[in-house]
């Protein structure tokens, strides 16, 4: 057979797959409706495992892994579709945010970072020695917001600020690039509430995924399935406890967009822990 002839046959098979795929998505929509009514979880790992075992049992070893990958993928896109449909059917995204930036009269910062203070008079900045204290001042309403160096092009990310935001439920709502003696730094402003403005183009998230093969890959392919660009990723091991990692990710998108809401909804439901760390505008 010539290449042309084989390709013609592939085209025929692809058409058949397309018909069946559309039928399957109609069924996925029906599942989503039933589950939206009963408020049942979309992701059912046991059911997926049972489907894989049943279908792959009689498949030749030479294509078993490939077939398993295909079935997994079909169920992944089925879930993606269901998350989007569910959000249309019932407003169940449990993320609260405000749509106005806070007015900042008093700012809290680390003493040794005062030199990067953006747009505020240094006399009005309350300086302390660690981020826990910065956040404590905001909590006690002795400051309206905090500011700190989040990333430095020469030295990397600030683990302590990432950790403090994660552990204290604080959110970034501004990100400015500052040039300091040739070092480019990302300086963020953060506060007690998640602020989402229409002009924001970044969403910072942190998640922990199951410590098993393919978990991180499936989260990354999920992000890509939504057509969302991932602009930064790094991992940090947990302090103490079991050996596992937190993944910090910056996405290109805005929480007011339906697709981003569906992605967040899926991440909340399919990762071990998930948190939004901020929404902001970034020029880069
Ligand atoms: O059976 C279900 O509960 C479904 O939601 C359907 C389906 C599938 O597409 O086969 C999708 C998601 C679940 O994780 C399991 C299976």
């Amino acid at each position: 057979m010539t290449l042309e002839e084989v390709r013609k046959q592939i085209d025929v098979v692809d058409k058949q797959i397309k018909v069946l795929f559309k039928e399957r998505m109609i069924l996925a929509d029906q599942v989503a409706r039933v589950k939206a009514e009963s408020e049942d979880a979309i992701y059912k790992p046991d059911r997926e495992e049972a489907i894989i075992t049943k279908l792959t049992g009689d498949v030749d070893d030479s294509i078993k892994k490939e077939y398993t990958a295909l079935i997994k993928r079909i169920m992944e896109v089925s879930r993606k579709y269901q998350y989007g449909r569910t959000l249309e059917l019932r407003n169940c995204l449990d993320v609260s945010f405000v749509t106005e930036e806070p007015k900042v009269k008093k700012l809290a910062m680390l003493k040794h970072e005062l030199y990067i203070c953006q747009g505020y008079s240094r006399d009005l900045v309350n300086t302390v020695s660690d981020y826990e204290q910065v956040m404590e001042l905001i909590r006690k309403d002795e400051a309206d917001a905090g500011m700190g160096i989040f990333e430095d092009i020469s030295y990397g990310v600030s683990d302590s600020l990432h950790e403090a935001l994660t552990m204290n439920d604080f959110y970034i709502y501004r990100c400015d690039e500052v040039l300091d003696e040739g070092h480019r730094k990302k300086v963020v402003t953060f506060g007690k509430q998640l602020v989402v403005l229409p002009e924001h183009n970044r969403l910072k998230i942190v998640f922990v995924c199951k410590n098993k093969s393919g978990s991180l890959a499936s989260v990354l392919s999920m992000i890509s399935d939504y057509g969302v660009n991932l602009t930064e990723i790094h991992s940090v091991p947990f302090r103490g406890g079991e050996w596992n990692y937190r993944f910090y990710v910056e996405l290109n998108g805005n929480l007011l967009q339906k697709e981003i809401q569906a992605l967040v909804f899926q991440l909340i439901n399919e990762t071990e822990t998930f948190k939004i760390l901020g929404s902001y505008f970034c020029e880069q």
Side-chain angles (χ1 to χ4, degrees):
M1 232 191 283
T2 66
L3 178 61
E4 269 316 296
E5 283 163 347
V6 186
R7 282 183 173 168
K8 274 206 181 104
Q9 290 196 23
I10 287 181
D11 290 347
V12 172
V13 173
D14 281 348
K15 266 194 187 152
Q16 293 169 348
I17 293 176
K18 188 172 169 185
V19 172
L20 293 175
F21 176 75
K22 283 184 180 171
E23 268 181 40
R24 207 184 189 289
M25 291 304 255
I26 291 169
L27 295 171
D29 179 53
Q30 287 174 6
V31 174
R33 282 167 194 276
V34 174
K35 288 185 177 176
E37 194 114 313
S38 58
E39 299 190 12
D40 196 1
I42 289 168
Y43 185 33
K44 298 281 177 174
D46 293 349
R47 166 82 180 142
E48 295 200 6
E49 213 43 62
I51 291 176
I52 291 166
T53 309
K54 196 168 65 186
L55 288 177
T56 55
D58 59 356
V59 175
D60 195 86
D61 275 351
S62 62
I63 54 164
K64 195 178 244 173
K65 284 211 170 75
E66 290 75 4
Y67 182 60
T68 306
L70 174 70
I71 297 298
K72 278 188 181 168
R73 204 70 190 100
I74 289 173
M75 291 190 287
E76 273 170 17
V77 296
S78 159
R79 274 187 262 129
K80 176 193 181 293
Y81 187 56
Q82 289 191 52
Y83 284 107
R85 293 291 295 124
T86 303
L87 279 190
E88 282 168 23
L89 293 164
R90 68 187 181 102
N91 187 11
C92 53
L93 183 65
D94 190 17
V95 177
S96 49
F97 57 84
V98 297
T99 50
E100 240 177 88
E101 264 190 26
K103 301 256 174 302
V104 181
K105 291 205 185 89
K106 294 164 289 173
L107 195 64
M109 291 181 71
L110 301 188
K111 200 170 190 163
H112 69 270
E113 289 188 351
L114 186 60
Y115 69 98
I116 50 99
C117 176
Q118 294 294 294
Y120 299 98
S121 160
R122 290 187 189 181
D123 309 337
L124 299 174
V125 181
N126 206 334
T127 55
V128 285
S129 56
D130 65 40
Y131 286 118
E132 293 294 330
Q133 291 172 22
V134 168
M135 289 167 186
E136 192 52 29
L137 287 174
I138 303 171
R139 243 183 247 115
K140 290 195 297 193
D141 287 328
E142 287 174 30
D144 312 301
M147 188 181 274
I149 299 171
F150 203 48
E151 281 180 45
D152 182 312
I153 205 147
S154 314
Y155 304 115
V157 298
S158 160
D159 281 344
S160 56
L161 184 47
H162 279 81
E163 167 100 7
L165 290 165
T166 309
M167 302 315 286
N168 291 285
D169 290 329
F170 273 69
Y171 305 92
I172 301 166
Y173 61 88
R174 268 190 77 107
C175 180
D176 297 287
E177 193 175 305
V178 176
L179 193 66
D180 166 51
E181 295 177 1
H183 293 282
R184 290 165 70 186
K185 296 171 200 277
K186 280 189 183 169
V187 173
V188 294
T189 312
F190 52 88
K192 273 188 289 195
Q193 279 178 308
L194 176 62
V195 182
V196 183
L197 304 182
E199 62 268 30
H200 286 178
N201 61 357
R202 293 288 191 276
L203 193 70
K204 187 87 188 182
I205 59 172
V206 57
F207 61 84
V208 176
C209 47
K210 288 196 180 69
N211 198 351
K212 66 170 200 177
S213 126
S215 298
L216 178 62
S218 96
V219 173
L220 298 183
S221 81
M222 190 192 299
I223 293 170
S224 145
D225 285 346
Y226 283 86
V228 172
N229 184 27
L230 191 151
T231 44
E232 193 265 340
I233 178 166
H234 73 275
S235 63
V236 177
F238 274 115
R239 294 215 180 138
E242 216 181 306
W243 196 269
N244 201 354
Y245 292 87
R246 274 196 197 100
F247 291 94
Y248 288 94
V249 165
E250 189 189 65
L251 303 171
N252 206 188
N254 185 303
L255 197 55
L256 300 172
Q257 295 161 343
K258 291 256 171 300
E259 279 292 280
I260 298 290
Q261 289 177 3
L263 170 60
V264 166
F265 185 37
Q266 184 162 6
L267 286 166
I268 290 171
N269 284 284
E270 296 191 13
T271 54
E272 293 275 283
T273 59
F274 172 86
K275 227 175 211 184
I276 294 179
L277 281 196
S279 166
Y280 46 90
F281 174 79
C282 182
E283 266 180 49
Q284 299 307 312

